[in-house]
């Protein structure tokens, strides 16, 4: 059964539709890239998947047991985080809070999970470093480790490569591919990087007012939407 | 000099001032860490002016000042945080609006009721040396729950301060913790007004955390350092004011400013 199933979903703000007619499925182990122009509703869709926003019509169905607290989320960085005094370990640990009872003291298991996830992302030796002094790529890894503490099931990423240089971007994509392949983590990623999307993803979802395309990545290029959108950029 | 201090501090009014001052400084600095990091520094200032307005109006109408001020300031704290989220009036503008508005109401009310008398003065500039027994009991009774709540919810407050969206997405009740911080801040500000006065209380909230952020590199470090800096500056300030006959509230703020610059220089040297 599908991990997530969208049936004729419409999303909008204040009664105005942003995207309509979303119909797609995400299976366990998929790597879905969501593409589309600015303002086409990609971030809105992510919010809906996170349960921060209700569908104005239609149905978003989650597989039983996939609760909100089992979704890992890598949001866009906010400005205030740039000079936030916090150690890497402190930041990663907050990923375990969602599953928590009332007060949220960290248990031994939480700390072990945080260390494990830092090891997977290769940031173990940054444990006591200050978050604000890290490079953009290192900061993204820290936030990814935090997201992994929240879930080992599904990761949602909204333009994870923003602000990274080409090398760090490439590393980020390799890392996500590794998590998807070797750890079986389902990934849904919003991306403007059409080349990388085509290379790593298993499925594509293309939005513009409505759903222009959903399907396997290899079918995307031969589709109408794919030819128009990817055509210009893959030559560049 | 030491003799003078010992003599002064053996008196009841001074011991009350120290006790009340320490607990309020401690709470203000802890809440300040979260507010400063969320870019809400000016909320303390705005709320203290709301508190001033409420106190003046309450006094003019013959009600107990604190009993009116605390609920009014709590409501104002909610409104300001809510306004900060909506896009129509941005956070700092909303604070300025509420802050100047309440000052105007306060000043008008005081003039209608017969001019600035001693009470209004004391709320503007603080009366730490004139705390009554019941003031101190109230300060401690309120501060202890604030401290306990802060410690119990420390990790969640950190998570929500660092990244509200992520916390929301992983099922942390973000609104609840924002509301918690707002209520606690409002209460501490109203009580702090008695000490430092409406004009200076916001510096009790802002300075210690800004100071610690110059050198500390972890959230825990900032929290602990802020608490220590706040209490130390309070003690130094009150000693100075006794020795050299200076206004107490202003001396405490000056002590905070000096420490801020010392930490700032240390931070510069350390990062080189
Ligand atoms: N909080 C909001 N209130 C009202 N309208 C909104 C809100 N957030 C987004 N919108 C509108 O919804 C539309 C889709 O926004 P969304 O952020 O989902 O686009 P996007 O595909 O993520 O764009 P980008 O590529 O720039 O990130 C936009 O037209 C935007 O103006
Ligand atoms: Mg977006």
């Amino acid at each position: 059964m599908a991990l997530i199933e969208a049936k004729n979903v419409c999303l909008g703000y204040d009664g105005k539709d942003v995207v309509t007619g979303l119909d797609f499925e995400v299976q366990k182990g998929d790597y879905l890239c969501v593409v589309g122009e600015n303002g086409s509703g990609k971030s809105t869709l992510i919010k809906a998947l996170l349960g921060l926003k209700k569908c104005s019509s239609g149905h978003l169905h989650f597989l039983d047991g996939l609760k909100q607290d089992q979704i890992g989320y890598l949001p866009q960085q906010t400005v205030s985080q740039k000079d936030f005094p916090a150690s890497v370990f402190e930041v990663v640990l907050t990923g375990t809070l969602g599953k928590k009872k009332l007060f949220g003291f960290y248990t031994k298991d939480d700390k072990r999970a945080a260390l494990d996830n830092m090891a997977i992302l290769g940031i173990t030796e940054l444990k006591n470093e200050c978050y604000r002094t890290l490079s953009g790529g290192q900061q993204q890894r820290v936030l990814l480790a935090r997201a992994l503490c929240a879930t080992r099931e599904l990761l949602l990423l909204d333009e994870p490569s923003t602000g990274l240089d080409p090398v760090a971007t490439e590393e980020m994509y390799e890392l996500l591919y590794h998590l998807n392949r070797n750890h079986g983590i389902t990934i849904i990623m919003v991306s403007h990087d059409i080349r990388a999307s085509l290379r790593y993803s298993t499925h594509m979802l293309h939005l513009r007012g409505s759903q222009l395309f959903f399907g396997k990545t290899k079918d995307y290029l031969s589709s109408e939407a794919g030819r128009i959108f990817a055509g210009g950029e893959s030559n560049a | 000099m030491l003799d003078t201090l010992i003599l002064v501090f053996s008196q009841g009014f001074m011991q009350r001032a120290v006790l009340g001052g320490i607990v309020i400084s401690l709470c203000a600095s802890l809440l300040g860490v979260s507010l400063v990091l969320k870019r809400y520094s000016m909320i303390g200032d705005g709320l203290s002016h709301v508190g001033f307005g409420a106190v003046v109006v309450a006094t003019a109408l013959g009600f107990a000042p604190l009993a009116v001020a605390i609920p009014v300031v709590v409501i104002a704290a909610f409104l300001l945080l809510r306004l900060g989220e909506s896009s129509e009036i941005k956070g700092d503008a909303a604070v300025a609006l509420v802050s100047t508005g309440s000052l105007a109401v306060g000043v008008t009310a005081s003039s209608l009721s017969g001019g600035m008398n001693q009470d209004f003065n004391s709320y503007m500039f603080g009366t730490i040396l004139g705390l009554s027994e019941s003031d101190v009991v109230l300060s401690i009774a309120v501060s202890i729950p604030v401290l306990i709540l802060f410690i119990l919810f420390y990790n969640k407050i950190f998570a929500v301060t660092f990244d509200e969206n992520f916390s929301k997405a992983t099922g942390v009740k973000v609104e609840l913790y924002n509301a918690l911080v707002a209520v606690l801040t409002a209460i501490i500000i109203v009580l702090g007004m008695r000490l430092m006065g409406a004009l200076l209380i916001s510096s009790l909230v802002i300075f210690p955390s800004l100071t610690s952020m110059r050198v500390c590199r972890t959230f825990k470090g900032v929290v602990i350092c802020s608490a220590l800096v706040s209490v130390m500056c309070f003690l130094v300030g009150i000693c100075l004011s006794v020795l050299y006959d200076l206004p107490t509230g202003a001396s405490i703020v000056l002590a905070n400013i000096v420490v801020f610059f010392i930490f700032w220089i240390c931070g510069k040297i350390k990062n080189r």
Side-chain angles (χ1 to χ4, degrees):
Chain A
M1 207 184 129
L3 208 55
I4 299 175
E5 209 173 0
K7 279 214 183 98
N8 199 22
V9 168
C10 293
L11 300 169
Y13 295 93
D14 314 318
K16 241 177 51 206
D17 281 342
V18 173
V19 270
T20 56
L22 289 171
D23 262 299
F24 62 88
E25 283 184 358
V26 181
Q27 308 285 341
K28 202 168 158 42
D30 279 359
Y31 187 146
L32 172 69
C33 274
V34 183
V35 297
E37 295 154 20
N38 292 128
S40 56
K42 306 182 295 293
S43 301
T44 307
L45 173 61
I46 295 285
K47 278 187 211 154
L49 290 173
L50 287 169
L52 303 182
K53 185 156 182 34
K54 287 211 171 63
C55 310
S56 43
S57 70
H59 232 59
L60 257 184
H61 187 79
F62 291 86
L63 179 69
D64 294 339
L66 182 73
K67 301 235 179 58
Q68 207 188 31
D69 63 10
Q70 288 176 308
I71 299 177
Y73 175 41
L74 190 72
Q76 209 101 55
Q77 277 197 59
T78 56
V79 196
S80 63
Q81 284 168 11
K82 290 259 148 52
D83 57 355
F84 202 104
S87 74
V88 166
F89 196 47
E90 283 180 320
V91 172
V92 174
L93 269 174
T94 60
T96 64
L97 279 177
K99 305 163 182 156
K100 278 287 164 36
K101 0 37 161 164
L102 192 56
F103 297 136
F105 293 116
Y106 299 127
T107 62
K108 274 212 180 70
D109 284 346
D110 294 336
K111 291 185 179 158
R112 196 171 314 119
L115 288 172
D116 287 350
N117 290 322
M118 286 164 67
I120 292 176
L121 295 176
I123 51 170
T124 307
E125 62 291 359
L126 297 179
K127 184 180 166 203
N128 295 319
E129 289 294 309
C130 183
Y131 177 79
R132 66 179 160 188
T133 60
L134 301 180
S135 73
Q138 288 171 325
Q139 288 183 342
Q140 283 298 57
R141 282 172 189 245
V142 173
L143 297 185
L144 249 182
R146 177 184 68 168
L148 286 180
C149 284
T151 184
R152 282 307 187 82
E153 201 66 50
L154 172 66
L155 277 181
L156 290 179
L157 307 104
D158 198 344
E159 302 187 33
S161 61
T162 314
L164 300 187
D165 63 39
V167 176
T169 303
E170 203 50 44
E171 279 176 7
M172 179 84 193
Y173 287 137
E174 289 290 342
L175 205 56
L176 289 174
Y177 189 62
H178 167 76
L179 290 175
N180 178 248
R181 266 315 167 84
N182 304 329
H183 294 270
I185 294 170
T186 311
I187 289 180
I188 300 179
M189 175 169 89
V190 170
S191 175
H192 279 297
D193 188 339
I194 188 80
R195 258 184 332 116
S197 303
L198 292 173
R199 188 148 123 232
Y200 293 110
S201 70
T202 60
H203 292 74
M204 297 287 286
L205 175 62
H206 189 154
L207 305 180
R208 187 204 279 159
S210 62
Q211 174 177 320
L212 287 191
F213 178 86
F214 170 73
K216 287 214 159 60
T217 305
K218 65 178 188 322
D219 300 331
Y220 179 64
L221 276 180
S222 51
S223 77
E224 187 78 11
R227 266 203 312 261
I228 298 167
F229 198 66
E233 294 197 39
S234 57
N235 297 336
Chain B
M1 189 169 109
L2 206 59
D3 292 342
T4 327
L5 283 182
I6 288 172
L7 186 70
V8 172
F9 279 102
S10 63
Q11 311 212 1
F13 78 95
M14 207 58 194
Q15 288 165 355
R16 285 197 292 275
V18 169
L19 204 57
I22 285 179
V23 289
I24 296 286
S25 317
L26 196 62
C27 294
S29 64
L30 294 182
L31 294 168
V33 174
S34 176
L35 291 177
V36 167
L37 284 171
K38 287 171 101 168
R39 304 285 151 99
Y40 283 148
S41 306
M42 289 316 287
I43 281 200
D45 197 48
L47 292 182
S48 66
H49 290 167
V50 173
F52 169 73
V55 164
V56 172
V57 171
T59 316
L61 296 179
F63 295 118
L66 285 191
V68 175
I70 289 184
V72 169
V73 174
V74 167
I75 292 169
F78 269 99
L79 285 180
L80 284 181
L81 292 169
R82 187 66 49 80
L83 276 180
E85 281 160 23
S86 93
S87 53
E88 273 190 45
I89 305 175
K90 282 274 174 261
D92 59 339
V95 174
L97 207 83
V98 171
S99 158
T100 50
S102 332
L103 262 188
V105 169
V107 171
T108 312
S110 85
S111 120
L112 284 181
S113 68
M116 283 275 187
N117 66 23
Q118 189 52 39
D119 259 3
F120 302 148
N121 253 322
S122 74
Y123 273 103
M124 273 321 255
F125 300 105
T127 49
I128 181 145
L129 300 182
L131 292 188
S132 69
E133 200 102 352
S134 63
D135 284 331
V136 179
V137 171
L138 182 65
S139 304
I140 294 176
V142 171
S143 302
I144 287 175
V146 170
L147 287 176
I148 291 175
L149 285 172
F150 190 88
I151 292 167
L152 284 181
F153 294 111
Y154 167 81
N155 284 326
K156 299 236 177 180
I157 290 176
F158 168 59
V160 169
T161 309
F162 181 73
D163 193 338
E164 217 173 289
N165 279 333
F166 179 82
S167 302
K168 226 186 258 177
T170 49
V172 175
K173 302 256 176 307
V174 170
E175 286 81 11
L176 188 72
Y177 295 99
N178 281 338
L180 180 71
V181 170
V183 171
L184 298 184
T185 308
I187 293 174
I188 289 300
I189 291 223
V190 172
L191 285 177
M193 271 170 58
R194 293 279 288 174
L195 272 77
M196 302 281 284
L199 286 180
L200 300 179
I201 174 65
S202 62
S203 59
L204 268 191
V205 173
I206 302 170
F207 264 111
S209 44
L210 274 185
T211 301
S212 344
M213 277 171 217
R214 294 314 103 200
V215 293
C216 294
R217 298 160 65 84
T218 66
F219 188 75
K220 200 189 233 162
V222 170
V223 168
I224 293 173
C225 184
S226 300
L228 291 178
V229 164
S230 182
V231 172
M232 290 311 296
C233 287
F234 169 76
L235 290 175
V236 169
I238 201 167
C239 286
L240 286 179
S241 89
V242 166
L243 284 176
Y244 301 103
D245 201 17
L246 302 170
T248 317
S251 313
I252 296 170
V253 176
L254 286 178
N256 269 298
I257 291 177
V258 171
V259 174
F260 174 82
F261 277 109
I262 295 173
F263 274 55
W264 184 64
I265 291 167
C266 289
K268 286 274 175 229
I269 293 171
K270 202 168 130 196
N271 288 338
R272 252 215 318 243

